[in-house]
């Protein structure tokens, strides 16, 4: 059928009479109609309707789709559509890529994603495994270049087995995430210290010249979402940026080291067969910048996804300072300033993911994120920011409910 396209969301309707007043019954006769909450139609749904039911699976973004119909004409329509889908699948660029890479016979197991648009799958073929990364909106070629750079420094990024536009086939570094292995304080500290050794090795070299630089201006501008999507206090943003900028210039000016940005326990793997700095596998670095050496340590020890023991944080700070010979007072100031900057940015990013994309699970991380901001803003370097932070609403139960009400899934 061809004709006008109608999209009707019936969630707020209270009875069939309102459906008649909308003209939806007339539209059923000559238009293609997409109807959300079709149960509100009661007995007014056309007999020729195709019913699509979406259900969540687990706690990620996976959905199952069930299709139902009573009109026998859908039998042939769907048979034709299925045949077309199979033809398209044979021409799918992913299948073509895997065939070219010699992995077309592998079994594909989808893996949990992250806050980005990237998708991952583990491929298995006998005793062999590899990771397929799809990044249609990112720069897969940059990931590949950075992976080779990190490996050239004696670190452990996934080796690139094959690449094409928007896709990479990567070495599988396993499942030994530090977040999983750090079951208690006794296990946590040595694992985190291994990650610090990798950072020390990384910071012994300059960042590639082609990377963008985490200037104070860039860092100050990156907290904007906290004031537009988390707190909806856009009028406070200019004051916050103007106040934060001189602090960042004094304590967090770029030092030219490679900043991986998402250097935390969910993105770090322990590799038992390797030694030294190479014992830690690096998974997420395609958003890397050239910047200040304290940024990734703040990412590691002021993690929004898990509580890090104070003793572990102290051991990591001391180990990094001792190994690099950096000025302790200056480094600790940079650590506090960048910890607050990072968590202000995350506060806004996670709120935006929830209120614009319905990814409400990210709201669970906001209280810990807020706690990091409160604790690290006590450093004397951040005194000018405290009055601004005090104006932001705390992510208590009441405010989280307000955020939840703004999410499209509610």
């Amino acid at each position: 059928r061809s004709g006008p396209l109608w999209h009707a969301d019936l969630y707020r309707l209270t009875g069939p009479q309102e459906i008649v007043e909308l003209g939806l019954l007339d539209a059923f006769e000559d238009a293609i109609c997409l109807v959300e909450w079709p149960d509100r139609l009661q007995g007014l749904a056309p007999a020729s309707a195709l019913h699509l039911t979406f259900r969540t699976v687990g706690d990620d973004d996976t959905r199952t789709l069930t299709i139902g119909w009573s009109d026998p004409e859908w039998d042939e329509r769907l048979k034709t559509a299925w045949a077309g889908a199979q033809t398209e699948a044979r021409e799918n660029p992913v299948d073509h890529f895997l065939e070219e890479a010699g992995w077309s016979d592998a079994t594909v197991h989808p893996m949990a994603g992250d806050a980005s648009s990237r998708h991952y799958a583990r491929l298995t073929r006998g005793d062999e495994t590899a990771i397929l990364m799809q990044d249609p909106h990112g720069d897969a070629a940059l990931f590949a270049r950075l992976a080779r750079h990190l490996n050239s420094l004696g670190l452990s990024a996934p080796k690139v087995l094959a690449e094409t536009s928007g896709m990479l086939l990567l070495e599988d570094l396993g499942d030994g995430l530090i977040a999983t292995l750090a079951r208690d304080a006794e296990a946590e500290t040595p694992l985190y210290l291994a990650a610090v050794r990798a950072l020390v090795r990384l910071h012994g070299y300059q960042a590639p010249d082609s990377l963008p630089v985490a200037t104070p201006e860039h860092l100050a501008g990156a907290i904007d979402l906290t004031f537009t999507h988390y707190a909806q206090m856009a009028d406070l943003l200019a004051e916050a940026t103007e106040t934060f900028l001189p602090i960042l210039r004094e304590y967090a000016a770029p030092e030219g080291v490679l900043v991986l940005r998402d250097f935390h326990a969910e993105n770090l793997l322990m590799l038992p067969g390797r030694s030294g700095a190479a014992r830690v596998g690096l998974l997420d670095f395609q958003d890397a910048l050239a910047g200040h050496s304290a940024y990734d340590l703040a990412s590691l020890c002021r993690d929004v996804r898990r509580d890090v023991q104070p003793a572990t944080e102290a051991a990591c700070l001391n180990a990094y300072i001792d190994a690099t010979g950096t000025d302790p007072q200056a480094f600790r100031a940079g650590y506090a300033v960048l910890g607050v900057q990072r968590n202000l940015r995350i506060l806004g990013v996670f709120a935006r993911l929830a209120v614009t994309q319905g990814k409400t699970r990210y709201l669970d991380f906001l209280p810990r994120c807020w706690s990091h901001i409160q604790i690290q803003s006590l450093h004397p370097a951040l005194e000018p920011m405290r009055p601004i932070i005090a104006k932001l609403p705390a992510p208590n139960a009441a405010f989280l409910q307000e955020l939840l009400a703004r999410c499209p899934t509610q």
Side-chain angles (χ1 to χ4, degrees):
R1 171 189 288 186
S2 63
L5 177 66
W6 280 52
H7 173 216
D9 185 344
L10 308 185
Y11 176 70
R12 298 187 185 279
L13 298 192
T14 57
Q17 183 57 37
E18 293 181 67
I19 295 170
V20 176
E21 293 171 359
L22 287 173
L24 191 55
L25 296 186
D26 293 332
F28 286 157
E29 297 297 324
D30 58 9
I32 300 169
C33 299
L34 305 177
V35 180
E36 296 185 62
W37 298 91
D39 57 303
R40 304 294 198 268
L41 291 169
Q42 298 181 20
L44 299 178
S48 59
L50 184 70
H51 299 272
L52 308 179
T53 304
F54 294 88
R55 293 185 176 87
T56 58
V57 178
D59 59 357
D60 59 14
D61 294 329
T62 304
R63 302 288 187 273
T64 61
L65 169 63
T66 304
I67 303 176
W69 65 92
S70 57
D71 185 345
E73 289 191 14
W74 280 110
D75 295 345
E76 187 60 33
R77 291 172 186 163
L78 292 173
K79 181 178 178 181
T80 302
W82 177 246
Q86 288 179 308
T87 300
E88 183 179 346
R90 286 193 293 270
E91 299 171 354
N92 187 299
V94 175
D95 292 341
H96 179 71
F97 173 57
L98 294 180
E99 184 175 356
E100 290 290 312
W103 282 79
S104 59
D105 57 341
T107 303
V108 180
H109 307 276
M111 300 172 68
D114 53 25
S116 72
S117 62
R118 292 182 291 274
H119 302 283
Y120 300 90
R122 173 170 279 131
L123 310 181
T124 59
R125 183 180 60 188
D127 295 333
E128 295 181 285
T129 62
I131 301 297
L132 172 65
M133 184 183 86
Q134 298 180 66
D135 193 6
H137 306 301
D139 190 345
L142 175 61
F143 183 100
R145 290 197 301 273
L146 288 173
R148 294 185 180 104
H149 172 74
L150 292 168
N151 285 324
S152 75
L153 303 182
L155 296 166
S156 291
K159 294 178 182 176
V160 179
L161 307 178
E163 61 182 296
T164 190
S165 177
M167 285 182 281
L168 296 173
L169 190 65
L170 301 171
E171 174 190 14
D172 186 356
L173 296 180
D175 295 311
L177 290 173
I178 287 181
T180 303
L181 299 174
R183 297 176 298 274
D184 50 43
E186 184 178 357
E188 179 184 86
T189 300
L191 293 168
Y192 274 63
L193 288 175
V196 171
R197 284 191 287 274
L199 269 188
V200 170
R201 180 63 175 263
L202 177 64
H203 293 170
Y205 302 88
Q206 289 290 297
D209 293 336
S210 58
L211 288 180
V213 180
T215 63
E217 290 75 16
H218 171 89
L219 295 170
I223 66 172
D224 59 337
L225 296 179
T226 290
F227 300 89
T228 58
H229 286 73
Y230 170 76
Q232 294 186 304
M233 300 171 68
D235 55 332
L236 188 59
L237 176 58
E239 180 186 354
T241 303
E242 291 171 6
T243 303
F244 208 10
L245 188 54
I247 298 173
L248 290 162
R249 285 172 176 161
E250 182 173 357
Y251 297 103
E255 299 172 335
V257 300
L258 181 55
V259 174
L260 302 184
R261 292 189 68 186
D262 287 316
F263 190 84
H264 55 76
E266 293 284 349
N267 287 331
L268 301 172
L269 292 156
M270 293 305 297
L271 307 175
R274 305 186 190 186
S275 60
R279 286 186 63 217
V280 176
L282 310 174
L283 294 182
D284 193 338
F285 43 78
Q286 57 275 349
D287 297 322
L289 301 168
H292 192 281
S293 56
Y295 188 97
D296 280 340
L297 194 61
S299 174
L300 177 68
C301 296
R302 288 289 166 178
D303 192 344
V304 301
R305 294 163 182 79
R306 67 186 308 274
D307 294 321
V308 177
Q309 299 292 327
T312 297
E313 180 184 25
C316 289
L317 277 163
N318 290 334
Y320 184 89
I321 290 169
D322 291 344
T324 59
T326 189
D327 177 77
Q329 185 173 349
F331 185 82
R332 291 177 186 277
Y335 176 81
V337 168
L338 288 168
V340 168
Q341 185 277 337
R342 175 177 170 80
N343 281 290
L344 280 174
R345 180 181 67 82
I346 292 174
L347 201 66
V349 169
F350 282 8
R352 181 177 64 176
L353 286 170
V355 302
T356 65
Q357 300 180 33
K359 296 183 177 182
T360 56
R361 68 183 183 277
Y362 286 100
L363 298 180
D364 296 339
F365 300 125
L366 300 190
R368 186 181 291 111
C369 187
W370 181 254
S371 175
H372 291 329
I373 293 169
Q374 296 299 305
I375 293 171
Q376 293 201 283
S377 65
L378 295 176
H379 191 283
L382 287 149
E383 183 177 359
M385 282 295 291
R386 290 178 205 155
I388 294 170
I389 293 170
K391 294 177 184 178
L392 294 171
N396 53 32
F399 184 72
L400 289 176
Q401 281 300 314
E402 290 181 28
L403 279 177
L404 201 59
R406 288 160 49 193
C407 297
T409 56
Q410 302 304 306

